[in-house]
Amino acid sequence: KVEEMKIVEVIVLISSFIQFCCSLQHGIRKLGRWSTDDFADWSGSSLKFFVRTTTSSNATIFIDLKDCLNCNYFIEYSINCKSISAINVVNSMHSIELIVPNKLRGSVYQILITKKTEPSTGTIMVGDIRLKDAEITSGRRTDTCNETHQKRMIFIGDSISVGYGVDGQNPCPFSPDTENVLHAYSAISAMHASADYHVIAWSGRGVVRNYGESDSTSKALTVPELYNRTLATSGDPSLYWDPSSYQAQAILINLGTNDYSTEPHPTDEAFSTGLSTFVGVIQSDYPQAKIGLLCPFSLTDPQCGNIQSVAAERRVEYFRLSPDLVQSYGCVMHPDYTAQQSLAKAIEPFVAKLFHLTDDKIDIR
């Protein structure tokens, strides 16, 4: 009996030390595309929740990870909208430990965990979440940065939209630590517009032709084929993304760079037909959304003319990104953070138009 009492005492001590919280269904908001078993691989997929400290000491969040093959992705850990650290998740990792600096019992903090890298770097597979000296709370801070956004956007694109090489300094080869969707025009534009966002983008993919293909069109895995996947890396029909679960109000499509990047180029007819068909699918999925077609800064006429013609045919908006917007580069001659900020700034009025706002109403905190 004495031994049993000691065991009970140890269990009580442990339970007060680390609180089992939950799966992702309790008090945790999933942003982006997540499967029902809490997997995500698209850039920008995030977990957002609030914790209340139970002591005056630092709190700790433990996030269990399920086995991930060939993983080499990065997540951004933020508290109250301020970046704390970037964490590299590789195959051998089974948990992430996050410290919440704290000096006052009962303090409330917003926690945001964001996948910074694209689908090819791996899938974040979350198990349980446990907390030490804190608990999940439904309470909210009064900080404006912690507001729940009412506007919703979708960005559909390629390496430019995911921030490929954005954190590197030219010249440099690409590596996952140089990719950061939070420094891409997509996430920056969503922040400026105070909108939640999905980034449906994969480097090297095009509308009808992927980068480096030997033929003028690709047989598989172009952006239109990946577009309605919950997990970009899985073609399982059961993981089809239900558009009704996230009805965006504004959708930006920034494609064409890879279609025309290397020869043989697709014919004007093949590209325009492919893009028009794709826009039609998006219009069917998001009938209330305002759609904008961007001509990438790397393209010239007649490619931009093709995109503009499709915009007119489908009665959607069109905006041409000037090559002059990109004056500095990260890895593999992709826009660096400064250039991505220039792209985001250039499309502010265009985004405002999609949301039926005037320029001075855009929130650019």
Side-chain angles (χ1 to χ4, degrees):
K1 288 184 178 179
V2 173
E3 298 237 348
E4 288 178 357
M5 290 178 63
K6 289 182 178 179
I7 292 173
V8 170
E9 288 175 358
V10 170
I11 292 174
V12 169
L13 177 61
I14 292 175
S15 64
S16 63
F17 181 72
I18 298 179
Q19 176 202 8
F20 169 74
C21 165
C22 45
S23 67
L24 298 194
Q25 309 307 316
H26 300 82
I28 298 178
R29 187 177 178 214
K30 294 186 281 190
L31 305 173
R33 295 185 176 182
W34 289 80
S35 67
T36 55
D37 49 3
D38 302 328
F39 292 6
D41 61 7
W42 292 107
S43 301
S45 300
S46 304
L47 301 176
K48 178 180 178 181
F49 55 98
F50 292 82
V51 298
R52 177 182 288 110
T53 57
T54 56
T55 71
S56 58
S57 302
N58 291 346
T60 309
I61 303 168
F62 302 91
I63 301 178
D64 293 337
L65 301 175
K66 300 174 184 177
D67 289 335
C68 178
L69 298 176
N70 302 317
C71 276
N72 187 17
Y73 63 83
F74 279 79
I75 62 171
E76 182 90 356
Y77 168 43
S78 299
I79 301 177
N80 298 340
C81 305
K82 294 181 180 179
S83 175
I84 301 300
S85 63
I87 301 169
N88 185 201
V89 177
V90 294
N91 298 347
S92 58
M93 292 180 63
H94 294 95
S95 67
I96 300 171
E97 182 177 323
L98 308 174
I99 303 299
V100 182
N102 174 66
K103 294 182 179 179
L104 184 65
R105 178 175 180 161
S107 297
V108 175
Y109 300 96
Q110 178 196 277
I111 306 300
L112 183 65
I113 300 162
T114 304
K115 186 173 186 284
K116 301 201 309 180
T117 51
E118 64 185 288
S120 60
T121 63
T123 302
I124 181 169
M125 298 186 285
V126 178
D128 294 325
I129 294 180
R130 294 164 291 123
L131 295 94
K132 173 181 176 290
D133 296 328
E135 59 187 5
I136 298 289
T137 177
S138 58
R140 297 289 187 270
R141 293 173 57 90
T142 58
D143 308 47
T144 54
C145 80
N146 294 301
E147 65 185 343
T148 298
H149 297 144
Q150 300 301 315
K151 296 195 286 289
R152 296 177 297 279
M153 301 182 72
I154 298 176
F155 297 86
I156 300 173
D158 48 38
S159 57
I160 309 302
S161 298
V162 298
Y164 181 100
V166 68
D167 285 344
Q169 185 174 356
N170 183 56
C172 53
F174 173 78
S175 56
D177 63 305
T178 67
E179 186 168 88
N180 187 352
V181 72
L182 299 175
H183 286 172
Y185 79 91
S186 49
I188 298 170
S189 297
M191 180 192 69
H192 286 179
S194 291
D196 285 340
Y197 64 94
H198 289 189
V199 176
I200 308 306
W202 191 325
S203 295
R205 308 294 174 174
V207 178
V208 297
R209 181 178 184 271
N210 296 330
Y211 178 84
E213 287 279 0
S214 58
D215 295 328
S216 61
T217 57
S218 296
K219 295 180 174 61
L221 297 181
T222 55
V223 173
E225 295 178 64
L226 298 168
Y227 148 78
N228 255 340
R229 292 183 176 187
T230 299
L231 298 177
T233 52
S234 174
D236 185 344
S238 68
L239 291 175
Y240 170 81
W241 176 255
D242 178 9
S244 66
S245 64
Y246 179 86
Q247 277 294 302
Q249 297 134 325
I251 300 174
L252 289 181
I253 304 169
N254 186 6
L255 288 169
T257 298
N258 291 306
D259 295 85
Y260 294 108
S261 57
T262 58
E263 295 185 350
H265 294 164
T267 64
D268 291 343
E269 180 181 4
F271 176 80
S272 297
T273 299
L275 181 58
S276 179
T277 300
F278 185 33
V279 172
V281 171
I282 296 169
Q283 288 175 314
S284 177
D285 287 342
Y286 301 93
Q288 303 303 316
K290 298 298 181 183
I291 298 173
L293 287 180
L294 303 178
C295 183
F297 63 86
S298 60
L299 298 187
T300 58
D301 290 322
Q303 293 95 341
C304 284
N306 293 337
I307 295 172
Q308 188 172 16
S309 295
V310 170
E313 174 195 347
R314 287 292 176 180
R315 298 183 179 182
V316 300
E317 303 298 327
Y318 169 78
F319 185 86
R320 183 170 183 171
L321 291 166
S322 169
D324 295 336
L325 294 169
V326 179
Q327 298 293 324
S328 53
Y329 298 91
C331 297
V332 200
M333 294 302 292
H334 278 65
D336 66 3
Y337 186 30
T338 298
Q340 289 276 10
Q341 288 175 307
S342 296
L343 293 172
K345 184 67 176 177
I347 64 173
E348 276 186 13
F350 187 63
V351 171
K353 184 178 181 180
L354 295 182
F355 278 121
H356 296 285
L357 298 173
T358 58
D359 294 349
D360 61 353
K361 289 183 180 178
I362 296 180
D363 183 349
I364 56 172
R365 283 194 301 272

